[in-house]
Amino acid sequence: MRFLIVFSYDGSKYFGFQKQKEKKTIQKTMEQALYKIAKTEVKITPSGRTDTGVHALNQTAHFDLDINITADELKKALNAILPADIYVKKAKEKNNFHARFDAIKKEYAYYINIGDYNVFEKDYVMQLNKKLDVDKMKQASKFFLGTHDFSSFCKKRKEEDAQRTIFDIKIVTSGNKIKISIIGSGFLRYMVRNMVGTLIEVGQEKISVDQIKKILQSKDRCKAGAKAPAEGLYLRKAHYKKSCF
Amino acid sequence: MRFLIVFSYDGSKYFGFQKQKEKKTIQKTMEQALYKIAKTEVKITPSGRTDTGVHALNQTAHFDLDINITADELKKALNAILPADIYVKKAKEKNNFHARFDAIKKEYAYYINIGDYNVFEKDYVMQLNKKLDVDKMKQASKFFLGTHDFSSFCKKRKEEDAQRTIFDIKIVTSGNKIKISIIGSGFLRYMVRNMVGTLIEVGQEKISVDQIKKILQSKDRCKAGAKAPAEGLYLRKAHYKKSCF
């Protein structure tokens, strides 16, 4: 029986999603919980990985279970076993569902504090603690819209196709908080954090608005801004065709 | 030279304020930082202690330094040494100031999440994750106003005078969050958490509104509700006469 689950996690104490020997990761923790329920090894497949320290508001994954359990029982059993920083919001039986291949869009959010340093946000919001020219950042962000080769904004694996489509990018301020929301067809490694880091440098007038276009065209990672830190980044949602849910 | 500092801390990784052998506490961490600056032992005196896991938005403390340093330099030096979960917001030279004896009021806030469990709030907001009758809680809270013997709401030390005055208590809801703000002349150990725990039981209709009066009169700790957990509690501020600041 195939299940999909939607779950949130505070990534601050994890070495990212993917299983690694000796290291606490989201995948390992989730598979250990499933092992206790299924009494056999269960492999989970997420919509995509997240890196060390990155959070998820709604990550989606699938796995196959060969036991007699309802989706509701599964959700309860997982939440009873999982540590307090991972929480299953939804579980559903769904044959033929594939969390990675069926995802049509991904949505990320990045939070920046431009006000005074806040001890309570250190693992959850980038503590820039400096003002930014948000209007310039908004103008610059428009250059990301559409389909581009994002080689300048990723840690590229050899031969990987770096073409991705950005459907929407929104920058909203609320008091001393800036939220950058990005929806795309998919994201390369560090792509969101490199885009955000570059927008921050536009907001600091280290990079001009028009330069974004040139950076994209250069396909050269060295041209873009510094990667923004992990703690501000949240996988908000993987989007699927309606029929999947 | 006497200094006062106002500082915030995320108490989730600390065994409370007061120095204890072998345990990480706020006082110990702050005094270690001051030792590095003054090259000699410095004892700090706070407005009052906070317990394990309790946070402070604005704690006030004083100490004496025998070195040549301005308040601004002191603030910068402390923040450069202190870990990321303690932050000095203000430092000021102030002779004759006493952080405990000069405090005329204390203000605490307690946060409760009555919505779904939220992984990001586990160390910062009580995860009740159940609805409450907030109107009943508001009615019940009125009984705390004024001067009472709070023996029913504290972990009392022998011979301690349990009379305290509550000047204000406000319960405000915003979405699925409830914030309880309490201003009093001072608070006994666990007093805020016992008051909040009792109000929660009123909101759950385990204790009736009128019973609060009887619980106060009984001076019996066993009559009140269970102590609310530490993570929801914040020392918001110690109030001083204007002349102190």
Side-chain angles (χ1 to χ4, degrees):
Chain A
M1 221 155 40
R2 177 154 294 192
F3 286 94
L4 77 80
I5 55 171
V6 178
F7 55 111
S8 60
Y9 48 85
D10 171 349
S12 55
K13 309 283 183 301
Y14 292 87
F15 287 92
F17 192 92
Q18 200 186 12
K19 201 145 70 174
Q20 297 175 57
K21 263 191 193 162
E22 313 289 324
K23 285 192 173 164
K24 191 170 95 161
T25 69
I26 302 293
Q27 181 174 14
K28 196 181 197 175
T29 307
M30 189 60 90
E31 291 183 356
Q32 280 169 346
L34 284 166
Y35 182 87
K36 284 189 187 164
I37 294 166
K39 317 284 183 209
T40 180
E41 280 190 25
V42 179
K43 191 188 173 301
I44 70 165
T45 302
S47 69
R49 299 168 190 169
T50 52
D51 290 309
T52 298
V54 174
H55 313 292
L57 293 162
N58 298 285
Q59 170 68 283
T60 304
H62 79 258
F63 49 82
D64 296 310
L65 280 189
D66 219 10
I67 54 167
N68 198 4
I69 191 167
T70 68
D72 200 44
E73 287 163 354
L74 176 64
K75 178 185 161 179
K76 278 182 193 154
L78 278 171
N79 285 330
I81 297 167
L82 286 166
D85 47 15
I86 305 179
Y87 181 69
V88 176
K89 295 174 157 187
K90 182 179 180 159
K92 195 180 156 119
E93 240 186 275
K94 190 77 198 169
N95 283 326
N96 304 319
F97 176 78
H98 195 289
R100 182 147 54 99
F101 299 148
D102 291 346
I104 48 176
K105 289 179 192 176
K106 292 271 194 61
E107 192 173 339
Y108 279 91
Y110 197 94
Y111 292 88
I112 305 167
N113 176 19
I114 57 168
D116 289 340
Y117 178 75
N118 184 329
V119 293
F120 301 103
E121 295 174 349
K122 72 179 176 58
D123 293 328
Y124 306 106
V125 178
M126 181 196 179
Q127 296 299 305
L128 185 70
N129 310 129
K130 284 174 201 157
K131 296 291 167 206
L132 288 173
D133 186 328
V134 179
D135 280 336
K136 286 216 169 84
M137 292 167 71
K138 286 181 183 174
Q139 290 166 40
S141 72
K142 302 296 175 215
F143 288 106
F144 289 127
L145 290 172
T147 303
H148 308 280
D149 182 306
F150 280 92
S151 297
S152 303
F153 294 90
C154 69
K155 186 176 175 179
K156 215 169 132 180
R157 280 171 262 164
K158 52 184 175 334
E159 303 301 311
E160 192 176 19
D161 174 19
Q163 191 168 291
R164 296 290 185 278
T165 302
I166 301 298
F167 299 111
D168 193 24
I169 178 161
K170 272 200 186 68
I171 304 179
V172 177
T173 55
S174 166
N176 280 320
K177 291 281 188 318
I178 296 177
K179 177 184 172 186
I180 303 177
S181 308
I182 306 180
I183 302 178
S185 59
F187 293 88
L188 296 149
R189 189 153 198 211
Y190 299 147
M191 182 171 149
V192 179
R193 288 161 65 187
N194 286 329
M195 289 166 71
V196 168
T198 304
L199 289 174
I200 287 172
E201 294 193 20
V202 170
Q204 294 175 324
E205 300 182 326
K206 291 179 189 170
I207 293 177
S208 73
V209 170
D210 296 335
Q211 240 172 301
I212 300 289
K213 201 175 171 180
K214 286 174 201 147
I215 295 170
L216 274 167
Q217 284 166 349
S218 75
K219 298 181 194 171
D220 177 0
R221 175 64 194 95
C222 303
K223 296 274 195 298
K227 181 176 71 183
E231 63 267 21
L233 185 60
Y234 293 74
L235 171 61
R236 273 189 70 83
K237 198 181 171 180
H239 295 245
Y240 296 91
K241 282 185 213 125
K242 260 194 186 151
S243 58
C244 289
F245 270 74
Chain B
M1 221 154 42
R2 178 153 293 192
F3 286 95
L4 76 78
I5 55 170
V6 178
F7 56 110
S8 60
Y9 48 85
D10 171 349
S12 54
K13 307 285 182 302
Y14 291 87
F15 287 92
F17 193 91
Q18 201 187 12
K19 202 146 70 174
Q20 296 175 56
K21 262 190 193 163
E22 312 290 322
K23 284 190 174 167
K24 191 171 93 160
T25 70
I26 302 294
Q27 181 174 12
K28 196 181 198 176
T29 307
M30 189 60 89
E31 291 183 355
Q32 280 170 345
L34 285 167
Y35 182 87
K36 285 189 188 164
I37 294 165
K39 317 284 183 210
T40 181
E41 280 191 23
V42 179
K43 192 188 171 301
I44 72 166
T45 302
S47 70
R49 298 167 189 169
T50 52
D51 290 308
T52 298
V54 174
H55 313 292
L57 293 162
N58 298 285
Q59 170 67 284
T60 303
H62 79 257
F63 49 83
D64 296 311
L65 280 190
D66 219 9
I67 54 166
N68 198 3
I69 192 167
T70 67
D72 200 44
E73 287 163 355
L74 175 64
K75 178 185 160 180
K76 277 181 194 154
L78 279 171
N79 284 331
I81 297 167
L82 287 166
D85 46 15
I86 305 181
Y87 181 70
V88 177
K89 295 175 157 187
K90 182 179 181 159
K92 196 181 155 120
E93 240 186 274
K94 190 77 199 169
N95 284 325
N96 304 318
F97 176 78
H98 195 290
R100 182 147 53 98
F101 299 148
D102 290 346
I104 48 176
K105 290 179 192 176
K106 292 274 194 61
E107 191 173 339
Y108 278 92
Y110 197 95
Y111 292 88
I112 306 166
N113 176 19
I114 57 168
D116 289 339
Y117 178 73
N118 183 331
V119 293
F120 301 103
E121 296 174 348
K122 72 179 176 56
D123 293 327
Y124 307 106
V125 177
M126 182 197 178
Q127 296 299 306
L128 185 71
N129 310 127
K130 284 173 200 158
K131 295 292 167 205
L132 288 173
D133 187 329
V134 178
D135 280 336
K136 286 216 168 84
M137 293 168 70
K138 285 181 184 174
Q139 290 166 41
S141 72
K142 302 296 176 214
F143 288 107
F144 288 128
L145 289 172
T147 302
H148 307 279
D149 182 307
F150 280 92
S151 296
S152 303
F153 294 91
C154 69
K155 187 177 175 179
K156 215 169 135 180
R157 281 172 261 163
K158 50 184 175 337
E159 303 301 314
E160 192 176 18
D161 174 19
Q163 191 167 290
R164 295 290 184 278
T165 301
I166 300 298
F167 300 109
D168 194 26
I169 180 161
K170 274 201 184 68
I171 304 179
V172 177
T173 54
S174 167
N176 280 320
K177 291 281 186 317
I178 296 177
K179 177 184 171 184
I180 303 177
S181 308
I182 307 181
I183 302 179
S185 59
F187 293 88
L188 297 150
R189 188 152 200 212
Y190 299 147
M191 180 170 149
V192 178
R193 287 160 64 187
N194 286 328
M195 287 166 72
V196 168
T198 304
L199 289 175
I200 288 172
E201 293 192 21
V202 171
Q204 293 176 323
E205 300 182 325
K206 292 178 188 170
I207 293 177
S208 74
V209 170
D210 298 334
Q211 240 172 301
I212 300 290
K213 203 177 170 177
K214 286 174 201 148
I215 295 171
L216 273 167
Q217 285 166 350
S218 75
K219 299 180 194 172
D220 176 359
R221 174 66 192 97
C222 302
K223 295 274 194 298
K227 181 175 71 184
E231 63 266 20
L233 185 60
Y234 294 75
L235 170 61
R236 273 188 71 82
K237 198 180 171 180
H239 294 246
Y240 297 91
K241 282 184 212 124
K242 260 194 187 154
S243 59
C244 289
F245 270 74

